[in-house]
Amino acid sequence: MTLERAGLDRGAQPVRITDVAALAGVSIGTASKALNGTGSSGSPHGRGSRTPPRNSGSSGTPERARCPPRTYTVGMITTDSFGRFSIPVLLGAEDALSAGQMAVLLCDTRDDHVREAHYLRSLAARGVDGIIVTGRSADPRPPIDVSIPVVYAFTPSTDPADVSITLDDAAGSSAVAAHVLTLGRQRVAIVTGPARHQSAVRRVSGATAVLGSALVGEPLYGEWSERWGRQAVDVLARGSADVDAIVCGSDQIARGVCDRLRELGRSVPEDVAVTGFDDWDVMALASRPPLTTVDLRLEELGRVAGQALLDLIDGGSAASAAVTPSLVIRESTLGA
């Protein structure tokens, strides 16, 4: 191997690797590795030291000149096999990423840590420019350990330094509770999902703050299911208070509540107004009557996450944010 050395008193004579090693005060092997970019020494100029740290979305993104060439592909890791949450997030993210001519590769881990590790290796081998992590739960998850930009969508990271785009559950339940009060309802019950889920707790918190003295008894925690909705109506029927509204933590629960109220001869919404949460059309529109509920605006959440990832990929910075859901009013509170 030779190099052309210009501007020295010897003219443009070939420079041997031994000359380079002697001048640098290193071995011939070390000099060869440095010149070829294959070394793994601790020198700040060697390519072996160029692996960037795990990118958590902070402003310390390595300068673009030192990053590998872009492939204009982005990976999306999800645990949501059914697609109830991840597909809308994907659609929104694609809207933002397509503006940057980025393609998205969707990987479903099925809640399997081994499968997730496999997909992360595959995405790294493909040289994706960044990764969006999402799932079917709004509960935080451990961060992934990769050396490229990462944004967490709907399912936040447990690391506060990471960029997480989440849903403001409390704001959504506050809006639906305020709607119930504007209807003149004065005896309101809350029926929601498992107390171990942060989304259930946040939805109860938002509704409770608005309902105040109109809240009848303690919130009822159970499952995210129609069955629990039916059971909860029986629990309320055995109580002393005669409720005139039930605020539910999900559309599934609300549909079960409506079914059981109808079986007991109670009319919705004339006798009891019922609200859901999620605006899952399979449940909300098929309910009898169709449900007043809360739209999670998951596509908007995906767009915000996609734009945040683009900013990180372009060498900029991004911050965590929360998307505010919106109230959707239907027959379960206003009638036909």
Side-chain angles (χ1 to χ4, degrees), residues 250-273:
S250 76
D251 293 338
Q252 287 176 283
I253 294 173
R255 182 170 172 176
V257 165
C258 289
D259 288 347
R260 185 56 180 156
L261 287 171
R262 186 170 58 253
E263 292 170 356
L264 295 176
R266 307 293 301 279
S267 175
V268 178
E270 286 76 10
D271 297 327
V272 182

Side-chain angles (χ1 to χ4, degrees), residues 7-325:
L8 300 180
D9 57 343
R10 292 171 57 185
Q13 297 182 21
V15 179
R16 295 169 299 178
I17 190 64
T18 53
D19 296 330
V20 176
L23 287 172
V26 297
S27 69
I28 294 175
T30 299
S32 176
K33 291 178 179 179
L35 291 171
N36 285 299
T38 58
S40 58
S41 67
S43 169
H45 303 295
R47 289 184 62 177
S49 64
R50 291 175 60 182
T51 301
R54 183 177 70 84
N55 190 308
S56 61
S58 65
S59 58
T61 304
E63 55 187 287
R64 293 306 305 171
R66 300 185 64 191
C67 292
R70 288 174 59 170
T71 61
Y72 293 92
T73 56
V74 166
M76 177 176 281
I77 296 287
T78 182
T79 61
D80 180 23
S81 301
F82 189 69
R84 164 69 185 95
F85 302 101
S86 61
I87 296 303
V89 170
L90 170 64
L91 295 176
E94 282 185 328
D95 287 344
L97 292 168
S98 62
Q101 300 181 334
M102 309 288 282
V104 182
L105 304 175
L106 180 63
C107 302
D108 176 19
T109 69
R110 308 178 197 176
D111 272 331
D112 184 340
H113 298 299
V114 174
R115 188 182 295 270
E116 178 174 284
H118 163 71
Y119 280 134
L120 289 174
R121 288 192 299 270
S122 297
L123 291 172
R126 289 175 177 269
V128 296
D129 298 324
I131 295 177
I132 294 177
V133 179
T134 187
R136 64 172 177 273
S137 172
D139 291 339
R141 56 151 292 160
I144 61 174
D145 188 9
V146 294
S147 59
I148 55 177
V150 179
V151 171
Y152 298 81
F154 186 68
T155 302
S157 168
T158 54
D159 187 344
D162 289 334
V163 176
S164 296
I165 311 301
T166 55
L167 178 74
D168 191 342
D169 285 293
S173 59
S174 295
V176 79
H179 168 66
V180 167
L181 293 182
T182 62
L183 301 176
R185 307 294 169 146
Q186 300 176 344
R187 302 178 304 281
V188 185
I190 297 178
V191 180
T192 191
R196 68 179 183 275
H197 287 181
Q198 292 190 19
S199 57
V201 174
R202 288 193 294 262
R203 292 172 189 182
V204 167
S205 175
T208 300
V210 172
L211 292 174
S213 60
L215 180 61
V216 174
E218 293 294 322
L220 299 180
Y221 290 93
E223 305 172 343
W224 301 114
S225 68
E226 295 176 68
R227 178 180 65 178
W228 164 235
R230 293 191 294 270
Q231 292 173 342
V233 170
D234 291 335
V235 172
L236 292 171
R238 291 194 293 268
S240 57
D242 185 22
V243 300
D244 59 11
I246 301 177
V247 172
C248 301
S250 76
D251 293 338
Q252 287 176 283
I253 294 173
R255 182 170 172 176
V257 165
C258 289
D259 288 347
R260 185 56 180 156
L261 287 171
R262 186 170 58 253
E263 292 170 356
L264 295 176
R266 307 293 301 279
S267 175
V268 178
E270 286 76 10
D271 297 327
V272 182
V274 178
T275 66
F277 206 107
D278 294 338
D279 197 24
W280 187 11
D281 54 3
V282 173
M283 291 289 167
L285 297 180
S287 176
R288 299 170 56 192
L291 296 171
T292 289
T293 185
V294 175
D295 181 359
L296 303 185
R297 300 179 65 211
L298 292 176
E299 287 195 31
E300 175 61 19
L301 192 152
R303 277 189 286 271
V304 175
Q307 184 57 56
L309 187 61
L310 271 181
D311 292 340
L312 294 176
I313 291 172
D314 288 337
S317 61
S320 296
V323 172
T324 302

